[in-house]
């Protein structure tokens, strides 16, 4: 591949990783959605599953050139750089925005438009038959149940943090099911986010170790499903995204709440509201439209790319 082309691909993967990392920081939004929209989802699963005994053996023997051929480092490194960069740069400002009663609806409005447009963009590439419709309905139901689950009061033990990482990472690569929201349900969201903010290395390492194990196991399952039952699996993933829209509707009211162990007030159940017209609401609608337009633009660009990681055309 010519050098300019390699540079363009690396920049594209960094941007994709940044979008994935940004999405995973917001409860209710999944980085897996970004991977699907940007056309790297199956490449991502392939790269993850390439980390196996052969890769470990090559690393142990110092055969780095063979390792680079076995594990697609040209894909993994720029994508990972973008993801880590988003987490480091945006964890603080996004955390503040989520805590701001006026900023939260604006942030969710943007991602609502983004996810809604993703459902349309990916859904139109699936041949809709009885099996795919049934899979999408099941995925929607599961996605809805996942995002309406009651948050727990999470333990702060190393075992609990490790297990939370293993579970949350599965959601992070599932479109529509947010890893951040799974952490919220497990009662670990604030603890993990605070660890990132304060550079708590021990907590980050324990959580990351669980995430690595969960990622390696779950990616293999997803890749096998896509290989054997591609269209129903994609329809299920679209359903996950559709069901998750309930959680990221920008205007909500808390019906009941409880106080977490760290003093944080958690909402047990909330309801969807229809907003009163104001400049803030109009701005939120504009942000939602912007999110949808961005997905549409990315989808058109990716549709014109050479086949390799594209979703099936209708």
């Amino acid at each position: 591949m010519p050098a300019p082309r390699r540079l363009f691909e690396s920049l594209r993967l960094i941007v994709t990783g940044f979008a994935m990392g940004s999405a995973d920081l917001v409860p209710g939004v999944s980085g897996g959605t970004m991977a699907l929209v940007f056309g790297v989802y199956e490449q991502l699963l392939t790269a993850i599953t390439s980390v196996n005994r052969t890769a470990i053996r090559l690393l142990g023997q110092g055969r780095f050139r063979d390792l680079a051929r076995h594990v697609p480092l040209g894909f993994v490194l720029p994508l990972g750089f973008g993801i880590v960069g988003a987490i480091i740069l945006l964890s603080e400002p996004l955390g503040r925005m989520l805590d701001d009663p006026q900023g939260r609806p604006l942030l969710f409005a943007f991602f609502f438009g983004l996810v809604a447009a993703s459902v349309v963009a990916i859904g139109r590439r699936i041949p809709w038959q009885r099996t795919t419709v049934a899979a999408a309905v099941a995925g929607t139901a599961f996605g809805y149940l996942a995002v309406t689950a009651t948050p727990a009061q999470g333990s702060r033990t190393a075992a609990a943090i490790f297990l939370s990482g293993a579970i949350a990472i599965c959601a992070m690569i599932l479109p529509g099911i947010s890893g951040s929201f799974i952490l919220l349900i497990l009662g670990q969201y604030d603890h993990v986010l605070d660890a990132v903010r304060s550079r708590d290395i021990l907590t980050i390492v324990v959580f990351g170790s669980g995430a690595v194990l969960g990622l390696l196991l779950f990616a293999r399952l997803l890749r096998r499903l896509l290989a054997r039952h591609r269209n129903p699996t994609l329809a299920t993933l679209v359903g996950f995204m559709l069901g998750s829209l309930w959680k990221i509707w920008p205007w909500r009211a808390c019906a009941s709440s409880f106080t977490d162990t760290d003093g944080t007030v958690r909402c047990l159940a909330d309801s969807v509201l229809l907003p009163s017209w104001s400049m803030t609401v109009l701005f939120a609608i504009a942000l939602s439209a912007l999110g949808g337009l961005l997905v549409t633009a990315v989808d058109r660009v990716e549709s014109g790319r050479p086949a390799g990681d594209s979703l099936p055309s209708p």
Side-chain angles (χ1 to χ4, degrees):
M1 183 184 297
R5 177 67 174 171
R6 285 200 302 270
L7 178 60
F8 173 80
E9 284 298 306
S10 295
L11 291 175
R12 185 180 75 90
L13 289 171
I14 290 173
V15 171
T16 301
F18 197 87
M20 291 174 62
S22 302
D24 275 325
L25 287 172
V26 180
V29 188
S30 169
T33 301
M34 299 296 97
L36 263 178
V37 172
F38 278 83
V40 301
Y41 194 71
E42 291 182 67
Q43 281 181 276
L44 176 63
L45 296 180
T46 299
I48 294 170
T49 54
S50 69
V51 180
N52 50 24
R53 293 179 181 177
T54 301
I56 295 173
R57 177 173 55 81
L58 293 174
L59 178 63
Q61 294 173 351
R63 296 165 58 185
F64 300 114
R65 184 170 297 179
D66 293 334
L67 177 64
R69 283 195 293 266
H70 180 75
V71 178
L73 296 181
F75 172 83
V76 172
L77 293 180
L79 190 75
F81 181 81
I83 293 173
V84 173
I87 293 172
I88 293 174
L89 294 176
L90 298 181
S91 60
E92 182 68 29
L94 285 183
R96 289 198 304 267
M97 199 167 185
L98 286 169
D99 292 336
D100 183 359
Q102 294 183 341
R104 187 181 181 93
L106 298 179
L107 181 64
F108 274 27
F110 174 77
F111 279 105
F112 186 92
L114 190 149
V115 175
S118 299
V119 170
V120 175
I122 298 167
R124 70 180 178 83
R125 302 184 182 187
I126 299 173
W128 291 104
Q129 302 164 345
R130 288 184 179 180
T131 53
T132 50
V133 170
V137 170
T140 302
F142 182 81
Y144 173 79
L145 292 174
V147 300
T148 54
T150 301
Q153 299 187 43
S155 169
R156 299 295 184 256
T157 65
I161 294 170
F162 180 90
L163 185 61
S164 297
I167 296 173
I169 198 66
C170 297
M172 286 180 181
I173 61 173
L174 273 179
I177 300 182
S178 164
S180 294
F181 186 67
I182 294 299
L183 285 178
L184 198 60
I185 293 173
L186 296 174
Q188 300 288 357
Y189 179 75
D190 280 341
H191 183 57
V192 174
L193 192 60
D194 287 341
V196 175
R197 289 173 176 172
S198 61
R199 310 296 189 264
D200 182 351
I201 303 300
L202 180 59
T203 298
I204 293 173
V205 168
V206 172
F207 178 83
S209 300
V212 168
L213 178 62
L215 185 64
L216 293 177
L217 295 177
F218 192 63
R220 281 168 170 76
L221 173 62
L222 272 180
R223 191 183 180 199
R224 183 171 299 179
L225 288 174
L226 282 169
R228 298 182 179 180
H229 312 285
R230 182 180 182 80
N231 290 327
T233 301
L234 289 173
T236 304
L237 298 181
V238 169
F240 288 162
M241 290 190 288
L242 188 60
S244 75
L245 287 173
W246 172 270
K247 181 61 183 177
I248 55 175
W249 176 257
W251 299 281
R252 322 182 65 84
C254 185
S256 61
S257 61
F258 73 96
T259 303
D260 204 345
T261 53
D262 60 358
T264 303
V265 177
R266 296 290 186 199
C267 187
L268 281 171
D270 55 10
S271 57
V272 170
L273 300 176
L274 292 177
S276 301
W277 291 106
S278 66
M279 290 301 296
T280 302
V281 171
L282 290 175
F283 185 46
I285 293 174
L287 286 174
S288 184
L290 176 61
L293 288 173
L294 285 175
V295 168
T296 302
V298 169
D299 179 58
R300 288 185 177 179
V301 171
E302 292 302 321
S303 296
R305 288 172 55 81
D309 187 46
S310 58
L311 296 176
S313 299

PDB file of all heavy atoms in Angstrom, residues 249 251 273-278 281 285:
ATOM      1  N   TRP A 249     -32.942   8.891  25.264  1.00  0.00           N
ATOM      2  CA  TRP A 249     -33.887   9.984  25.000  1.00  0.00           C
ATOM      3  C   TRP A 249     -33.500  11.144  25.912  1.00  0.00           C
ATOM      4  O   TRP A 249     -33.352  10.965  27.120  1.00  0.00           O
ATOM      5  CB  TRP A 249     -35.314   9.527  25.250  1.00  0.00           C
ATOM      6  CG  TRP A 249     -36.337  10.620  25.082  1.00  0.00           C
ATOM      7  CD1 TRP A 249     -36.967  11.301  26.070  1.00  0.00           C
ATOM      8  CD2 TRP A 249     -36.808  11.170  23.844  1.00  0.00           C
ATOM      9  NE1 TRP A 249     -37.824  12.236  25.539  1.00  0.00           N
ATOM     10  CE2 TRP A 249     -37.744  12.188  24.161  1.00  0.00           C
ATOM     11  CE3 TRP A 249     -36.533  10.909  22.508  1.00  0.00           C
ATOM     12  CZ2 TRP A 249     -38.403  12.933  23.204  1.00  0.00           C
ATOM     13  CZ3 TRP A 249     -37.190  11.654  21.541  1.00  0.00           C
ATOM     14  CH2 TRP A 249     -38.116  12.649  21.886  1.00  0.00           C
ATOM     15  N   TRP A 251     -34.849  13.848  27.272  1.00  0.00           N
ATOM     16  CA  TRP A 251     -35.659  14.490  28.310  1.00  0.00           C
ATOM     17  C   TRP A 251     -36.350  13.430  29.143  1.00  0.00           C
ATOM     18  O   TRP A 251     -37.215  12.697  28.671  1.00  0.00           O
ATOM     19  CB  TRP A 251     -36.684  15.424  27.664  1.00  0.00           C
ATOM     20  CG  TRP A 251     -36.004  16.498  26.873  1.00  0.00           C
ATOM     21  CD1 TRP A 251     -35.425  17.634  27.358  1.00  0.00           C
ATOM     22  CD2 TRP A 251     -35.783  16.510  25.456  1.00  0.00           C
ATOM     23  NE1 TRP A 251     -34.870  18.357  26.328  1.00  0.00           N
ATOM     24  CE2 TRP A 251     -35.073  17.707  25.150  1.00  0.00           C
ATOM     25  CE3 TRP A 251     -36.124  15.650  24.404  1.00  0.00           C
ATOM     26  CZ2 TRP A 251     -34.694  18.028  23.857  1.00  0.00           C
ATOM     27  CZ3 TRP A 251     -35.750  15.973  23.114  1.00  0.00           C
ATOM     28  CH2 TRP A 251     -35.042  17.162  22.847  1.00  0.00           C
ATOM     29  N   LEU A 273     -40.115  12.212  28.951  1.00  0.00           N
ATOM     30  CA  LEU A 273     -40.893  13.448  28.904  1.00  0.00           C
ATOM     31  C   LEU A 273     -40.906  14.019  27.491  1.00  0.00           C
ATOM     32  O   LEU A 273     -39.982  13.780  26.705  1.00  0.00           O
ATOM     33  CB  LEU A 273     -40.293  14.495  29.849  1.00  0.00           C
ATOM     34  CG  LEU A 273     -40.211  14.147  31.334  1.00  0.00           C
ATOM     35  CD1 LEU A 273     -39.510  15.277  32.079  1.00  0.00           C
ATOM     36  CD2 LEU A 273     -41.587  13.885  31.911  1.00  0.00           C
ATOM     37  N   LEU A 274     -41.946  14.758  27.183  1.00  0.00           N
ATOM     38  CA  LEU A 274     -41.970  15.568  25.974  1.00  0.00           C
ATOM     39  C   LEU A 274     -41.586  16.984  26.367  1.00  0.00           C
ATOM     40  O   LEU A 274     -42.230  17.579  27.236  1.00  0.00           O
ATOM     41  CB  LEU A 274     -43.359  15.547  25.330  1.00  0.00           C
ATOM     42  CG  LEU A 274     -43.799  14.211  24.735  1.00  0.00           C
ATOM     43  CD1 LEU A 274     -45.224  14.315  24.193  1.00  0.00           C
ATOM     44  CD2 LEU A 274     -42.850  13.778  23.626  1.00  0.00           C
ATOM     45  N   PRO A 275     -40.524  17.534  25.787  1.00  0.00           N
ATOM     46  CA  PRO A 275     -40.019  18.838  26.251  1.00  0.00           C
ATOM     47  C   PRO A 275     -40.912  19.996  25.833  1.00  0.00           C
ATOM     48  O   PRO A 275     -41.626  19.927  24.826  1.00  0.00           O
ATOM     49  CB  PRO A 275     -38.656  18.929  25.547  1.00  0.00           C
ATOM     50  CG  PRO A 275     -38.842  18.143  24.286  1.00  0.00           C
ATOM     51  CD  PRO A 275     -39.749  17.007  24.646  1.00  0.00           C
ATOM     52  N   SER A 276     -40.875  21.039  26.634  1.00  0.00           N
ATOM     53  CA  SER A 276     -41.529  22.299  26.261  1.00  0.00           C
ATOM     54  C   SER A 276     -40.598  23.065  25.335  1.00  0.00           C
ATOM     55  O   SER A 276     -39.377  23.040  25.507  1.00  0.00           O
ATOM     56  CB  SER A 276     -41.826  23.136  27.512  1.00  0.00           C
ATOM     57  OG  SER A 276     -42.663  22.412  28.399  1.00  0.00           O
ATOM     58  N   TRP A 277     -41.160  23.731  24.349  1.00  0.00           N
ATOM     59  CA  TRP A 277     -40.335  24.416  23.363  1.00  0.00           C
ATOM     60  C   TRP A 277     -39.542  25.548  23.987  1.00  0.00           C
ATOM     61  O   TRP A 277     -40.058  26.342  24.766  1.00  0.00           O
ATOM     62  CB  TRP A 277     -41.208  24.960  22.231  1.00  0.00           C
ATOM     63  CG  TRP A 277     -41.783  23.875  21.392  1.00  0.00           C
ATOM     64  CD1 TRP A 277     -43.078  23.441  21.379  1.00  0.00           C
ATOM     65  CD2 TRP A 277     -41.077  23.040  20.479  1.00  0.00           C
ATOM     66  NE1 TRP A 277     -43.237  22.394  20.506  1.00  0.00           N
ATOM     67  CE2 TRP A 277     -42.033  22.121  19.931  1.00  0.00           C
ATOM     68  CE3 TRP A 277     -39.759  22.955  20.052  1.00  0.00           C
ATOM     69  CZ2 TRP A 277     -41.687  21.159  18.996  1.00  0.00           C
ATOM     70  CZ3 TRP A 277     -39.417  22.002  19.111  1.00  0.00           C
ATOM     71  CH2 TRP A 277     -40.371  21.119  18.602  1.00  0.00           C
ATOM     72  N   SER A 278     -38.270  25.566  23.685  1.00  0.00           N
ATOM     73  CA  SER A 278     -37.369  26.624  24.150  1.00  0.00           C
ATOM     74  C   SER A 278     -36.147  26.618  23.241  1.00  0.00           C
ATOM     75  O   SER A 278     -35.973  25.723  22.413  1.00  0.00           O
ATOM     76  CB  SER A 278     -36.946  26.374  25.601  1.00  0.00           C
ATOM     77  OG  SER A 278     -36.157  25.198  25.698  1.00  0.00           O
ATOM     78  N   VAL A 281     -34.150  23.465  23.797  1.00  0.00           N
ATOM     79  CA  VAL A 281     -34.718  22.295  23.129  1.00  0.00           C
ATOM     80  C   VAL A 281     -34.418  22.331  21.631  1.00  0.00           C
ATOM     81  O   VAL A 281     -34.069  21.316  21.026  1.00  0.00           O
ATOM     82  CB  VAL A 281     -36.234  22.217  23.380  1.00  0.00           C
ATOM     83  CG1 VAL A 281     -36.874  21.143  22.511  1.00  0.00           C
ATOM     84  CG2 VAL A 281     -36.510  21.935  24.850  1.00  0.00           C
ATOM     85  N   ILE A 285     -32.370  19.582  19.472  1.00  0.00           N
ATOM     86  CA  ILE A 285     -32.859  18.968  18.234  1.00  0.00           C
ATOM     87  C   ILE A 285     -31.838  19.154  17.115  1.00  0.00           C
ATOM     88  O   ILE A 285     -31.589  18.244  16.312  1.00  0.00           O
ATOM     89  CB  ILE A 285     -34.224  19.570  17.843  1.00  0.00           C
ATOM     90  CG1 ILE A 285     -35.285  19.167  18.867  1.00  0.00           C
ATOM     91  CG2 ILE A 285     -34.628  19.119  16.439  1.00  0.00           C
ATOM     92  CD1 ILE A 285     -36.624  19.826  18.655  1.00  0.00           C
TER      93      ILE A 285
END
